[in-house]
């Protein structure tokens, strides 16, 4: 890959990550996060790691961020949450992190300017080589990671498990006309209209 | 056979995919009508073939309306995403020896990546419309496509094990002696079911279930934006059918006829199968859909992978 493509992808990744932090609307922030992950995948591809690039898109951009968006949609935060976020993050709160980040930026620019250039184009690593490395010298790491994921899975299952499941709504007789619409619906789309009604 | 320049392939495949997808709308309506003992569209042009063209003119002439309460950027972006992600996947499909835009060595992963990015289109459409039914449709789509993606990838790993490569060209070549439908029949069934769910086709069209959600995620869409979703769906069917032909039925391989013809013959068989599914099956309930994915199909995919892996280890020579 030529250097130009690398710098474009890297710039998009940095810019979209900055936008992830500054967006007040959660769904918009998550969309920039997905964009940033795709840009990172392009960078990986350029460095000769097509397998990692593909997994980056499949696992992170394609599944995990979608899951985040799903949860945000389920909570349906809307405009009020954006206002709360705005109150939470007044401009002066940015000063500290901005100064520290600027120091880091200066440092990295300095190092880039005087240090030897790293090669952008490396030899492409085929998926087979990745597999042989993972299940050869790094087998222990893979097993530990899978143990961690398994315990997380069991934990999540335990948290979600109920001894007595809720009776299905469609079988239960309505207790009262008011009970039909009693806060059961966690989904409030078209929030402006329903906010007026509630 | 002389292989054409990639750019020529690119243009040809782009045109072909779009024509196929829109022609498929007519094909589906005629086929459904035939199965349901009626005529279907047969007035415009020979056999009603120009019906799609007439519909297209109508759809272009409609008012292209963006609801004032919608999130404008996401609303406009959503229909484009589905078409772009599906068309990008066509770039790695080998239609015949040499007729391919980009012979990536991770083509199969690229296909999975693009199909997982396609979810954004539906989710964004549902979210940006700011409408109860759209949002419910978008949430259903997110849950459904996320769940079915998991074992869609796993169901294909048996094929990868047998072929020893992620390259679709390599996978077709590996089927010279035996189509993978024979050793990977379970994988084929799982992939077909996942493909139905990924393209949100009946019986898995719960994100737009007309009887419950108006039109689901695209309730607020009109004009060509709706048309993009429509074409995107048919492009998706074409893509999954082509993937089934390539992964399990030897792609362009076959005796006698030219490879390109073999490929399209197989493609049309699976397109018809997709349409038959629509004619034959009712829609399940959403909780049934999710329960099948996680409690039945995912364990089956894992089992298939385990057995295939063991057999490959025991019987195939080391590469």
């Amino acid at each position: 890959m030529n250097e130009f493509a690398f710098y474009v992808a890297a710039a998009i990744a940095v810019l979209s990550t900055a936008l992830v932090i500054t967006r007040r609307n959660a769904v918009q922030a998550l969309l920039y996060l997905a964009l940033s992950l795709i840009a990172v995948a392009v960078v990986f591809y350029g460095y000769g790691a097509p397998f990692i690039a593909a997994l980056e898109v499949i696992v992170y951009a394609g599944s995990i961020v979608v899951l985040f968006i799903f949860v945000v949609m389920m909570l349906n935060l809307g405009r009020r949450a954006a206002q709360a976020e705005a109150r939470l993050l007044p401009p002066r709160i940015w000063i500290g992190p901005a100064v520290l980040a600027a120091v880091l930026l200066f440092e990295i620019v300095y190092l880039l300017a005087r240090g030897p250039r790293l090669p952008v184009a490396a030899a492409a690593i085929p998926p087979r080589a990745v597999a042989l490395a993972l299940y050869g010298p790094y087998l222990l790491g893979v097993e530990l990671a899978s143990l961690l994921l398994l315990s997380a899975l069991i934990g999540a299952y335990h948290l979600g498990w109920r001894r007595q499941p809720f009776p299905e709504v469609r079988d239960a007789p309505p207790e009262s006309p008011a009970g039909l619409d009693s806060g059961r619906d966690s989904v409030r789309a078209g929030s402006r209209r329903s906010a007026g009604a509630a | 056979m002389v292989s054409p320049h990639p750019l020529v392939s690119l243009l040809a495949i782009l045109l072909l995919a779009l024509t196929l997808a829109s022609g498929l709308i007519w094909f589906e309506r005629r086929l459904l009508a035939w199965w349901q003992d009626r005529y279907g569209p047969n007035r415009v042009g020979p056999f009603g073939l120009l019906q799609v063209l007439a519909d297209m003119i109508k759809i272009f002439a409609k008012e292209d309306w963006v609801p004032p309460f919608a999130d404008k950027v996401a609303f406009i972006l959503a229909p484009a995403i589905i078409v772009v992600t599906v068309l990008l996947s066509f770039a790695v499909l080998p239609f015949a020896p040499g007729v391919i835009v980009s012979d990536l060595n991770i083509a199969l992963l690229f296909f999975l990546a693009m199909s997982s990015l396609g979810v954004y289109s539906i989710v964004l459409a549902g979210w940006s419309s700011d409408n109860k039914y759209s949002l419910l449709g978008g949430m259903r789509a997110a849950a459904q496509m996320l769940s079915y993606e998991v074992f869609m990838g796993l169901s294909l790993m048996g094929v990868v094990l047998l072929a020893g490569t992620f390259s679709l060209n390599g996978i077709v070549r590996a089927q010279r002696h035996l189509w993978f439908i024979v050793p990977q029949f379970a994988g084929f069934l799982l992939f077909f079911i996942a493909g139905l769910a990924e393209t949100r086709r009946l019986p898995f069209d719960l994100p737009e279930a007309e009887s419950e959600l108006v039109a689901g995620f695209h309730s607020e869409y009109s004009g060509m934006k709706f048309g993009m979703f429509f074409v995107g769906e048919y492009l998706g069917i074409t893509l999954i059918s082509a993937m089934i032909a390539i992964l399990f039925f030897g792609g362009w391989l076959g005796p006698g006829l030219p490879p390109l013809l073999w490929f399209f013959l197989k493609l049309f068989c699976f397109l018809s199968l997709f349409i038959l599914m629509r004619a034959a099956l009712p829609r399940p309930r959403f909780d049934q859909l999710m329960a099948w994915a996680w409690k039945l199909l995912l364990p089956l995919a894992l089992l298939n992978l385990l057995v295939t892996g063991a057999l490959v280890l025991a019987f195939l020579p080391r590469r």
Side-chain angles (χ1 to χ4, degrees), chain A residues 28 45 61 65 67 70 128 189, chain B residues 71 104 120 132 139 146 164:
Chain A
Q28 279 172 9
Y45 190 84
V65 177
L67 208 60
F70 178 74
R128 189 185 297 260
Chain B
D71 185 305
L104 271 184
Y120 281 105
K132 280 189 180 66
M139 279 172 48
L146 214 59

Side-chain angles (χ1 to χ4, degrees), chain A residues 1-3 6-7 10 39-53 112 117-125:
Chain A
M1 182 168 79
N2 59 27
E3 278 187 39
F6 165 77
Y7 283 118
V40 171
V42 173
V43 170
F44 271 130
Y45 190 84
Y47 268 118
F51 185 69
I52 307 298
L112 280 178
R117 290 200 144 206
L118 293 170
V120 170
I125 300 158

Side-chain angles (χ1 to χ4, degrees), chain B residues 59-109:
Chain B
I59 222 167
F60 269 115
K62 275 191 170 183
E63 186 188 358
D64 191 19
W65 189 65
V66 179
F69 46 81
D71 185 305
K72 286 221 170 44
V73 179
F75 190 84
I76 293 167
L77 210 60
I81 293 176
I82 184 85
V83 176
V84 168
T85 52
V86 176
L87 278 178
L88 272 174
S89 290
F90 274 95
V92 295
L93 296 188
F95 286 78
V99 185
I100 185 169
V101 178
S102 167
D103 188 10
L104 271 184
N105 64 349
I106 50 153
L108 192 60
L109 293 174

Side-chain angles (χ1 to χ4, degrees), chain A residues 128, chain B residues 158-167 170-172 174 180 316 319:
Chain A
R128 189 185 297 260
Chain B
V159 169
V160 174
L161 270 177
L162 289 173
T165 174
F166 283 115
S167 152
I171 287 173
V172 173
F180 284 155
L316 277 193
R319 277 181 292 259

